Amino acid sequence: MNIHEYQAKQILGRFGVPVPKGQFATTPDEAAAAFTALGQPKAVVKAQIHAGGRGKAGGVKLLTNASEVRDVARELYLGMLVDRKAGTVSVIASTEGGMDIEEVAAKTPEKILTEQISPLLGVSGFQARKIAFALGLKDKQVGQFATLLAALYRAFVETDASLIEINPLVVTKDGRVICLDAKMSFDDNALFRHPDIRELRDANEEDPAETEAAKYDLSYVHLDGNIGCMVNGAGLAMATMDIVKIYGAEPANFLDVGGGASTEKVAAAFRILLADKRVKGVLINIFGGIMRCDVLAQGVVEAAKQVKLNVPLVVRMEGTNVVEGKKILADSGIKVITASDMADAAKRIVKEIGA
């Protein structure tokens, strides 16, 4: 789950991370009042959306005339993320703040430092100093940075974050180290431990289909293809997407209905697939272990009654109550193309959409 910049700064501030003063506003009048309340000669208005590149798109505006940013602060990059390859939380730092870190990694990888944090020891003093020196910090700035990094790590762990990105981290003219910008993402699976953070979710910034899927506890990820996939089990879902690609087409989504899906859940999943205008065909691949094939079939039939099925539907089912499931589909009046195995299902749906 992603949150807005102002929300991330509020959370980091609670952990003692130095962030600029700011106020949230939803109208021009509120913004004007916030500027007055801050009592500063300059202020920046920043659009709050879940996207990078806001400055390039005109979403960051200085309220008064000001000298060049270079005369005000030196911009650095600081990130913290779950490093799955290393099995730790890693810190990423660069002197090239204010830029897309992906661009820096591609063009000047030598300007990026990665430091792995021990889950037992936390941020060690020598690691903080190593990163500080790599960023060109000196004197009292090194101590400030060490304190900032320790607070950032504490915030990361205690909120079950998956990413914290400070871009830019700035050194002001008077030598202070401050998080000028902040981005935070959280592990959805841990949100039950953080109801306060869960309340920060902004559904307007999320894919409507993914939001709808979450209501039914469906694992759904929007992709760029045109074949809608409904599968039970994450591993089988990934294999299904792979085999669709092998036969020359692209999956429109990852959709795992889970092992114990109900008829209602299956129907919701089918409606979500058909609501996607890019979907030219649907492939259902079910292996009935815990999931019963007759339940899946009944859910598909109920959803098809609610939503006009005007794209090819290929179904491959095996396992518990497969005979009953196939009979339900056969007697439903829905035009269903049955497949004998995964490869056959993929070939049939790709042929049907003419890919």
Side-chain angles (χ1 to χ4, degrees), residues 192-226:
F192 72 94
R193 290 199 289 253
H194 307 283
D196 57 328
I197 294 176
R198 188 174 61 238
E199 290 300 315
L200 302 179
R201 171 169 258 140
D202 185 350
N204 293 322
E205 292 287 338
E206 299 179 1
D207 187 310
E210 293 182 12
T211 301
E212 181 67 13
K215 294 179 183 177
Y216 295 92
D217 197 27
L218 296 167
S219 297
Y220 177 92
V221 179
H222 189 97
L223 300 174
D224 296 327
N226 57 10

mmCIF file of all heavy atoms in Angstrom, residues 192-226:
data_model
loop_
_atom_site.group_PDB
_atom_site.id
_atom_site.type_symbol
_atom_site.label_atom_id
_atom_site.label_comp_id
_atom_site.label_asym_id
_atom_site.label_seq_id
_atom_site.Cartn_x
_atom_site.Cartn_y
_atom_site.Cartn_z
ATOM 1 N N PHE A 192 -2.970 -5.445 9.066
ATOM 2 C CA PHE A 192 -3.862 -5.768 10.187
ATOM 3 C C PHE A 192 -3.243 -5.334 11.513
ATOM 4 O O PHE A 192 -3.945 -5.134 12.505
ATOM 5 C CB PHE A 192 -4.164 -7.277 10.212
ATOM 6 C CG PHE A 192 -3.010 -8.137 10.652
ATOM 7 C CD1 PHE A 192 -2.886 -8.523 11.985
ATOM 8 C CD2 PHE A 192 -2.040 -8.555 9.739
ATOM 9 C CE1 PHE A 192 -1.836 -9.318 12.400
ATOM 10 C CE2 PHE A 192 -0.989 -9.340 10.148
ATOM 11 C CZ PHE A 192 -0.875 -9.726 11.482
ATOM 12 N N ARG A 193 -1.914 -5.171 11.522
ATOM 13 C CA ARG A 193 -1.233 -4.719 12.742
ATOM 14 C C ARG A 193 -1.223 -3.203 12.864
ATOM 15 O O ARG A 193 -0.852 -2.664 13.898
ATOM 16 C CB ARG A 193 0.215 -5.230 12.757
ATOM 17 C CG ARG A 193 0.357 -6.703 12.966
ATOM 18 C CD ARG A 193 1.749 -7.064 13.437
ATOM 19 N NE ARG A 193 2.755 -6.920 12.411
ATOM 20 C CZ ARG A 193 3.352 -7.932 11.789
ATOM 21 N NH1 ARG A 193 3.011 -9.175 12.101
ATOM 22 N NH2 ARG A 193 4.261 -7.730 10.877
ATOM 23 N N HIS A 194 -1.606 -2.515 11.770
ATOM 24 C CA HIS A 194 -1.506 -1.051 11.747
ATOM 25 C C HIS A 194 -2.809 -0.432 11.223
ATOM 26 O O HIS A 194 -2.841 0.104 10.105
ATOM 27 C CB HIS A 194 -0.330 -0.620 10.863
ATOM 28 C CG HIS A 194 0.960 -1.277 11.212
ATOM 29 N ND1 HIS A 194 1.722 -0.895 12.287
ATOM 30 C CD2 HIS A 194 1.619 -2.317 10.629
ATOM 31 C CE1 HIS A 194 2.803 -1.650 12.358
ATOM 32 N NE2 HIS A 194 2.763 -2.521 11.371
ATOM 33 N N PRO A 195 -3.874 -0.483 12.001
ATOM 34 C CA PRO A 195 -5.149 0.086 11.531
ATOM 35 C C PRO A 195 -5.042 1.568 11.229
ATOM 36 O O PRO A 195 -5.750 2.074 10.349
ATOM 37 C CB PRO A 195 -6.108 -0.180 12.700
ATOM 38 C CG PRO A 195 -5.224 -0.433 13.889
ATOM 39 C CD PRO A 195 -3.996 -1.070 13.346
ATOM 40 N N ASP A 196 -4.151 2.284 11.934
ATOM 41 C CA ASP A 196 -3.987 3.716 11.676
ATOM 42 C C ASP A 196 -3.404 3.961 10.295
ATOM 43 O O ASP A 196 -3.800 4.896 9.588
ATOM 44 C CB ASP A 196 -3.101 4.360 12.749
ATOM 45 C CG ASP A 196 -1.740 3.701 12.854
ATOM 46 O OD1 ASP A 196 -1.636 2.465 12.615
ATOM 47 O OD2 ASP A 196 -0.756 4.393 13.170
ATOM 48 N N ILE A 197 -2.475 3.111 9.880
ATOM 49 C CA ILE A 197 -1.878 3.247 8.552
ATOM 50 C C ILE A 197 -2.859 2.782 7.481
ATOM 51 O O ILE A 197 -2.975 3.398 6.412
ATOM 52 C CB ILE A 197 -0.555 2.458 8.463
ATOM 53 C CG1 ILE A 197 0.488 3.098 9.392
ATOM 54 C CG2 ILE A 197 -0.038 2.415 7.023
ATOM 55 C CD1 ILE A 197 1.803 2.336 9.454
ATOM 56 N N ARG A 198 -3.604 1.726 7.777
ATOM 57 C CA ARG A 198 -4.592 1.229 6.808
ATOM 58 C C ARG A 198 -5.616 2.296 6.471
ATOM 59 O O ARG A 198 -6.098 2.385 5.328
ATOM 60 C CB ARG A 198 -5.272 -0.019 7.374
ATOM 61 C CG ARG A 198 -6.173 -0.720 6.372
ATOM 62 C CD ARG A 198 -6.717 -2.031 6.897
ATOM 63 N NE ARG A 198 -7.522 -1.829 8.097
ATOM 64 C CZ ARG A 198 -7.273 -2.395 9.272
ATOM 65 N NH1 ARG A 198 -6.218 -3.181 9.409
ATOM 66 N NH2 ARG A 198 -8.061 -2.187 10.306
ATOM 67 N N GLU A 199 -5.932 3.146 7.441
ATOM 68 C CA GLU A 199 -6.907 4.217 7.215
ATOM 69 C C GLU A 199 -6.383 5.283 6.250
ATOM 70 O O GLU A 199 -7.159 6.103 5.750
ATOM 71 C CB GLU A 199 -7.278 4.871 8.548
ATOM 72 C CG GLU A 199 -8.104 3.984 9.469
ATOM 73 C CD GLU A 199 -9.422 3.581 8.839
ATOM 74 O OE1 GLU A 199 -10.086 4.454 8.252
ATOM 75 O OE2 GLU A 199 -9.780 2.390 8.919
ATOM 76 N N LEU A 200 -5.087 5.295 5.990
ATOM 77 C CA LEU A 200 -4.504 6.292 5.086
ATOM 78 C C LEU A 200 -4.675 5.918 3.615
ATOM 79 O O LEU A 200 -4.351 6.718 2.739
ATOM 80 C CB LEU A 200 -3.007 6.479 5.391
ATOM 81 C CG LEU A 200 -2.644 6.920 6.816
ATOM 82 C CD1 LEU A 200 -1.126 7.037 6.951
ATOM 83 C CD2 LEU A 200 -3.316 8.246 7.151
ATOM 84 N N ARG A 201 -5.157 4.718 3.352
ATOM 85 C CA ARG A 201 -5.303 4.258 1.967
ATOM 86 C C ARG A 201 -6.209 5.200 1.185
ATOM 87 O O ARG A 201 -7.281 5.580 1.648
ATOM 88 C CB ARG A 201 -5.867 2.844 1.947
ATOM 89 C CG ARG A 201 -6.258 2.353 0.555
ATOM 90 C CD ARG A 201 -6.550 0.866 0.543
ATOM 91 N NE ARG A 201 -5.442 0.114 -0.015
ATOM 92 C CZ ARG A 201 -5.006 -1.047 0.448
ATOM 93 N NH1 ARG A 201 -5.578 -1.576 1.498
ATOM 94 N NH2 ARG A 201 -4.012 -1.659 -0.137
ATOM 95 N N ASP A 202 -5.755 5.583 -0.012
ATOM 96 C CA ASP A 202 -6.528 6.459 -0.890
ATOM 97 C C ASP A 202 -6.953 5.646 -2.106
ATOM 98 O O ASP A 202 -6.168 5.433 -3.035
ATOM 99 C CB ASP A 202 -5.666 7.661 -1.313
ATOM 100 C CG ASP A 202 -6.452 8.679 -2.131
ATOM 101 O OD1 ASP A 202 -7.588 8.370 -2.532
ATOM 102 O OD2 ASP A 202 -5.931 9.785 -2.365
ATOM 103 N N ALA A 203 -8.200 5.181 -2.093
ATOM 104 C CA ALA A 203 -8.695 4.322 -3.170
ATOM 105 C C ALA A 203 -8.693 5.041 -4.516
ATOM 106 O O ALA A 203 -8.622 4.395 -5.569
ATOM 107 C CB ALA A 203 -10.109 3.841 -2.843
ATOM 108 N N ASN A 204 -8.757 6.369 -4.513
ATOM 109 C CA ASN A 204 -8.754 7.128 -5.767
ATOM 110 C C ASN A 204 -7.428 7.018 -6.505
ATOM 111 O O ASN A 204 -7.349 7.304 -7.704
ATOM 112 C CB ASN A 204 -9.054 8.607 -5.486
ATOM 113 C CG ASN A 204 -10.463 8.821 -4.984
ATOM 114 O OD1 ASN A 204 -11.394 8.161 -5.443
ATOM 115 N ND2 ASN A 204 -10.630 9.729 -4.026
ATOM 116 N N GLU A 205 -6.365 6.636 -5.782
ATOM 117 C CA GLU A 205 -5.043 6.516 -6.384
ATOM 118 C C GLU A 205 -4.712 5.079 -6.780
ATOM 119 O O GLU A 205 -3.603 4.800 -7.210
ATOM 120 C CB GLU A 205 -3.978 7.033 -5.401
ATOM 121 C CG GLU A 205 -4.045 8.521 -5.146
ATOM 122 C CD GLU A 205 -3.549 9.338 -6.317
ATOM 123 O OE1 GLU A 205 -2.788 8.789 -7.132
ATOM 124 O OE2 GLU A 205 -3.932 10.504 -6.437
ATOM 125 N N GLU A 206 -5.677 4.172 -6.631
ATOM 126 C CA GLU A 206 -5.429 2.769 -6.923
ATOM 127 C C GLU A 206 -6.264 2.304 -8.105
ATOM 128 O O GLU A 206 -7.263 2.923 -8.462
ATOM 129 C CB GLU A 206 -5.744 1.915 -5.688
ATOM 130 C CG GLU A 206 -4.869 2.270 -4.490
ATOM 131 C CD GLU A 206 -5.192 1.443 -3.259
ATOM 132 O OE1 GLU A 206 -6.094 0.574 -3.350
ATOM 133 O OE2 GLU A 206 -4.552 1.662 -2.219
ATOM 134 N N ASP A 207 -5.838 1.219 -8.716
ATOM 135 C CA ASP A 207 -6.570 0.630 -9.829
ATOM 136 C C ASP A 207 -7.943 0.183 -9.323
ATOM 137 O O ASP A 207 -8.033 -0.595 -8.370
ATOM 138 C CB ASP A 207 -5.780 -0.578 -10.360
ATOM 139 C CG ASP A 207 -6.384 -1.156 -11.627
ATOM 140 O OD1 ASP A 207 -7.615 -1.406 -11.638
ATOM 141 O OD2 ASP A 207 -5.645 -1.360 -12.603
ATOM 142 N N PRO A 208 -9.042 0.659 -9.935
ATOM 143 C CA PRO A 208 -10.384 0.291 -9.467
ATOM 144 C C PRO A 208 -10.616 -1.212 -9.421
ATOM 145 O O PRO A 208 -11.292 -1.715 -8.523
ATOM 146 C CB PRO A 208 -11.314 0.966 -10.482
ATOM 147 C CG PRO A 208 -10.509 2.097 -11.036
ATOM 148 C CD PRO A 208 -9.099 1.616 -11.067
ATOM 149 N N ALA A 209 -10.049 -1.927 -10.393
ATOM 150 C CA ALA A 209 -10.224 -3.388 -10.419
ATOM 151 C C ALA A 209 -9.526 -4.035 -9.231
ATOM 152 O O ALA A 209 -10.051 -4.973 -8.618
ATOM 153 C CB ALA A 209 -9.687 -3.959 -11.726
ATOM 154 N N GLU A 210 -8.341 -3.550 -8.886
ATOM 155 C CA GLU A 210 -7.611 -4.097 -7.750
ATOM 156 C C GLU A 210 -8.332 -3.767 -6.446
ATOM 157 O O GLU A 210 -8.354 -4.578 -5.514
ATOM 158 C CB GLU A 210 -6.183 -3.562 -7.741
ATOM 159 C CG GLU A 210 -5.357 -4.054 -8.917
ATOM 160 C CD GLU A 210 -3.916 -3.569 -8.888
ATOM 161 O OE1 GLU A 210 -3.486 -3.044 -7.842
ATOM 162 O OE2 GLU A 210 -3.209 -3.736 -9.902
ATOM 163 N N THR A 211 -8.933 -2.579 -6.380
ATOM 164 C CA THR A 211 -9.699 -2.196 -5.195
ATOM 165 C C THR A 211 -10.929 -3.091 -5.040
ATOM 166 O O THR A 211 -11.247 -3.552 -3.941
ATOM 167 C CB THR A 211 -10.149 -0.728 -5.292
ATOM 168 O OG1 THR A 211 -8.993 0.103 -5.429
ATOM 169 C CG2 THR A 211 -10.921 -0.305 -4.066
ATOM 170 N N GLU A 212 -11.626 -3.345 -6.148
ATOM 171 C CA GLU A 212 -12.804 -4.211 -6.117
ATOM 172 C C GLU A 212 -12.409 -5.637 -5.726
ATOM 173 O O GLU A 212 -13.098 -6.290 -4.934
ATOM 174 C CB GLU A 212 -13.473 -4.214 -7.498
ATOM 175 C CG GLU A 212 -14.731 -5.058 -7.603
ATOM 176 C CD GLU A 212 -15.896 -4.524 -6.793
ATOM 177 O OE1 GLU A 212 -15.835 -3.364 -6.330
ATOM 178 O OE2 GLU A 212 -16.879 -5.280 -6.618
ATOM 179 N N ALA A 213 -11.288 -6.125 -6.274
ATOM 180 C CA ALA A 213 -10.828 -7.480 -5.955
ATOM 181 C C ALA A 213 -10.506 -7.624 -4.473
ATOM 182 O O ALA A 213 -10.775 -8.667 -3.867
ATOM 183 C CB ALA A 213 -9.602 -7.815 -6.799
ATOM 184 N N ALA A 214 -9.947 -6.573 -3.878
ATOM 185 C CA ALA A 214 -9.582 -6.619 -2.457
ATOM 186 C C ALA A 214 -10.810 -6.804 -1.564
ATOM 187 O O ALA A 214 -10.719 -7.404 -0.487
ATOM 188 C CB ALA A 214 -8.835 -5.346 -2.071
ATOM 189 N N LYS A 215 -11.970 -6.310 -2.011
ATOM 190 C CA LYS A 215 -13.198 -6.456 -1.225
ATOM 191 C C LYS A 215 -13.574 -7.926 -1.043
ATOM 192 O O LYS A 215 -14.214 -8.305 -0.061
ATOM 193 C CB LYS A 215 -14.357 -5.722 -1.913
ATOM 194 C CG LYS A 215 -14.208 -4.216 -1.979
ATOM 195 C CD LYS A 215 -15.404 -3.613 -2.709
ATOM 196 C CE LYS A 215 -15.264 -2.102 -2.865
ATOM 197 N NZ LYS A 215 -16.394 -1.527 -3.627
ATOM 198 N N TYR A 216 -13.185 -8.758 -2.018
ATOM 199 C CA TYR A 216 -13.523 -10.178 -1.984
ATOM 200 C C TYR A 216 -12.321 -11.048 -1.633
ATOM 201 O O TYR A 216 -12.349 -12.263 -1.815
ATOM 202 C CB TYR A 216 -14.098 -10.604 -3.343
ATOM 203 C CG TYR A 216 -15.407 -9.934 -3.674
ATOM 204 C CD1 TYR A 216 -15.430 -8.742 -4.398
ATOM 205 C CD2 TYR A 216 -16.620 -10.471 -3.253
ATOM 206 C CE1 TYR A 216 -16.631 -8.113 -4.703
ATOM 207 C CE2 TYR A 216 -17.822 -9.854 -3.560
ATOM 208 C CZ TYR A 216 -17.812 -8.673 -4.279
ATOM 209 O OH TYR A 216 -19.008 -8.055 -4.571
ATOM 210 N N ASP A 217 -11.258 -10.402 -1.162
ATOM 211 C CA ASP A 217 -10.036 -11.115 -0.781
ATOM 212 C C ASP A 217 -9.455 -11.890 -1.960
ATOM 213 O O ASP A 217 -8.988 -13.027 -1.824
ATOM 214 C CB ASP A 217 -10.314 -12.063 0.393
ATOM 215 C CG ASP A 217 -9.036 -12.518 1.088
ATOM 216 O OD1 ASP A 217 -8.042 -11.769 1.046
ATOM 217 O OD2 ASP A 217 -9.021 -13.623 1.665
ATOM 218 N N LEU A 218 -9.498 -11.273 -3.132
ATOM 219 C CA LEU A 218 -8.915 -11.854 -4.342
ATOM 220 C C LEU A 218 -7.539 -11.262 -4.581
ATOM 221 O O LEU A 218 -7.339 -10.058 -4.397
ATOM 222 C CB LEU A 218 -9.803 -11.574 -5.555
ATOM 223 C CG LEU A 218 -11.202 -12.188 -5.550
ATOM 224 C CD1 LEU A 218 -12.057 -11.556 -6.639
ATOM 225 C CD2 LEU A 218 -11.127 -13.695 -5.747
ATOM 226 N N SER A 219 -6.605 -12.081 -5.001
ATOM 227 C CA SER A 219 -5.270 -11.584 -5.339
ATOM 228 C C SER A 219 -5.267 -11.220 -6.819
ATOM 229 O O SER A 219 -5.234 -12.109 -7.686
ATOM 230 C CB SER A 219 -4.207 -12.652 -5.047
ATOM 231 O OG SER A 219 -4.168 -12.943 -3.673
ATOM 232 N N TYR A 220 -5.330 -9.929 -7.105
ATOM 233 C CA TYR A 220 -5.464 -9.447 -8.488
ATOM 234 C C TYR A 220 -4.419 -8.380 -8.770
ATOM 235 O O TYR A 220 -4.228 -7.461 -7.965
ATOM 236 C CB TYR A 220 -6.864 -8.866 -8.711
ATOM 237 C CG TYR A 220 -7.088 -8.273 -10.087
ATOM 238 C CD1 TYR A 220 -7.606 -9.042 -11.114
ATOM 239 C CD2 TYR A 220 -6.763 -6.945 -10.354
ATOM 240 C CE1 TYR A 220 -7.820 -8.504 -12.388
ATOM 241 C CE2 TYR A 220 -6.969 -6.403 -11.614
ATOM 242 C CZ TYR A 220 -7.492 -7.184 -12.627
ATOM 243 O OH TYR A 220 -7.678 -6.650 -13.872
ATOM 244 N N VAL A 221 -3.741 -8.535 -9.909
ATOM 245 C CA VAL A 221 -2.783 -7.522 -10.359
ATOM 246 C C VAL A 221 -3.062 -7.224 -11.823
ATOM 247 O O VAL A 221 -3.141 -8.138 -12.655
ATOM 248 C CB VAL A 221 -1.324 -7.993 -10.204
ATOM 249 C CG1 VAL A 221 -0.359 -6.916 -10.710
ATOM 250 C CG2 VAL A 221 -1.012 -8.323 -8.738
ATOM 251 N N HIS A 222 -3.241 -5.956 -12.130
ATOM 252 C CA HIS A 222 -3.533 -5.501 -13.490
ATOM 253 C C HIS A 222 -2.259 -5.581 -14.342
ATOM 254 O O HIS A 222 -1.214 -5.090 -13.944
ATOM 255 C CB HIS A 222 -4.023 -4.054 -13.414
ATOM 256 C CG HIS A 222 -4.549 -3.513 -14.692
ATOM 257 N ND1 HIS A 222 -5.890 -3.484 -14.990
ATOM 258 C CD2 HIS A 222 -3.923 -2.966 -15.758
ATOM 259 C CE1 HIS A 222 -6.064 -2.939 -16.180
ATOM 260 N NE2 HIS A 222 -4.884 -2.621 -16.656
ATOM 261 N N LEU A 223 -2.364 -6.204 -15.521
ATOM 262 C CA LEU A 223 -1.238 -6.295 -16.454
ATOM 263 C C LEU A 223 -1.642 -5.675 -17.799
ATOM 264 O O LEU A 223 -2.721 -5.116 -17.932
ATOM 265 C CB LEU A 223 -0.802 -7.756 -16.621
ATOM 266 C CG LEU A 223 -0.331 -8.451 -15.331
ATOM 267 C CD1 LEU A 223 -0.055 -9.922 -15.588
ATOM 268 C CD2 LEU A 223 0.901 -7.760 -14.764
ATOM 269 N N ASP A 224 -0.780 -5.809 -18.803
ATOM 270 C CA ASP A 224 -0.974 -5.061 -20.048
ATOM 271 C C ASP A 224 -1.513 -5.881 -21.223
ATOM 272 O O ASP A 224 -1.645 -5.357 -22.326
ATOM 273 C CB ASP A 224 0.354 -4.415 -20.482
ATOM 274 C CG ASP A 224 0.836 -3.384 -19.479
ATOM 275 O OD1 ASP A 224 -0.031 -2.725 -18.873
ATOM 276 O OD2 ASP A 224 2.057 -3.250 -19.301
ATOM 277 N N GLY A 225 -1.808 -7.156 -21.008
ATOM 278 C CA GLY A 225 -2.234 -7.987 -22.124
ATOM 279 C C GLY A 225 -3.730 -7.956 -22.375
ATOM 280 O O GLY A 225 -4.447 -7.067 -21.901
ATOM 281 N N ASN A 226 -4.240 -8.982 -23.107
ATOM 282 C CA ASN A 226 -5.662 -8.999 -23.457
ATOM 283 C C ASN A 226 -6.349 -10.332 -23.186
ATOM 284 O O ASN A 226 -7.487 -10.538 -23.604
ATOM 285 C CB ASN A 226 -5.864 -8.601 -24.919
ATOM 286 C CG ASN A 226 -5.088 -9.489 -25.887
ATOM 287 O OD1 ASN A 226 -4.544 -10.523 -25.505
ATOM 288 N ND2 ASN A 226 -5.046 -9.076 -27.146
#
